[in-house]
């Protein structure tokens, strides 16, 4: 799995995540990330807020329940061997 280093905007702290999958829905990019390669790892869905052509991406955690459920279903279909629970 690809590992990406994220810098938290509020604290400046650096956090590494493994990218499990990515998709583009209605012109918005989403990535499914986890903090561990272990079986029962915590996962987050992040939405890309950056404009096309920007060198660095800006991501935020998807927190809206409806959007989270919809994007989770897409990732579940893409990753048949992964069980995503909300």
């Amino acid at each position: 799995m690809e590992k990406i280093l994220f810098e938290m905007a509020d604290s400046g702290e650096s956090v590494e995540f493994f990218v499990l999958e990515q998709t583009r829905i209605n012109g918005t990019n989403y990535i499914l990330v986890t903090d561990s390669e272990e079986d029962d790892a915590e996962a987050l869905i992040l939405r890309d807020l950056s404009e096309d052509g920007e060198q660095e991406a800006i991501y935020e955690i998807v927190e809206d329940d409806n959007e989270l459920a919809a994007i989770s279903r897409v990732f579940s279909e893409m990753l048949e061997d992964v069980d995503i629970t909300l």
Side-chain angles (χ1 to χ4, degrees), residues 53 64 82 85:
D64 177 75
V82 174
T85 56

Side-chain angles (χ1 to χ4, degrees), residues 27-70:
T28 301
N29 292 318
Y30 294 91
I31 58 174
L32 176 64
V33 299
T34 184
D35 59 352
S36 171
E37 290 184 290
E38 302 300 318
D39 287 340
D40 290 335
E42 295 290 319
L44 297 170
I45 296 176
L46 305 177
R47 178 189 320 107
D48 186 354
L49 300 177
S50 57
E51 298 293 325
D52 289 338
E54 287 188 44
Q55 284 189 312
E56 292 191 20
I58 300 169
Y59 288 97
E60 73 175 1
I61 297 171
V62 174
E63 294 180 354
D64 177 75
D65 290 339
N66 293 329
E67 182 181 14
L68 187 59

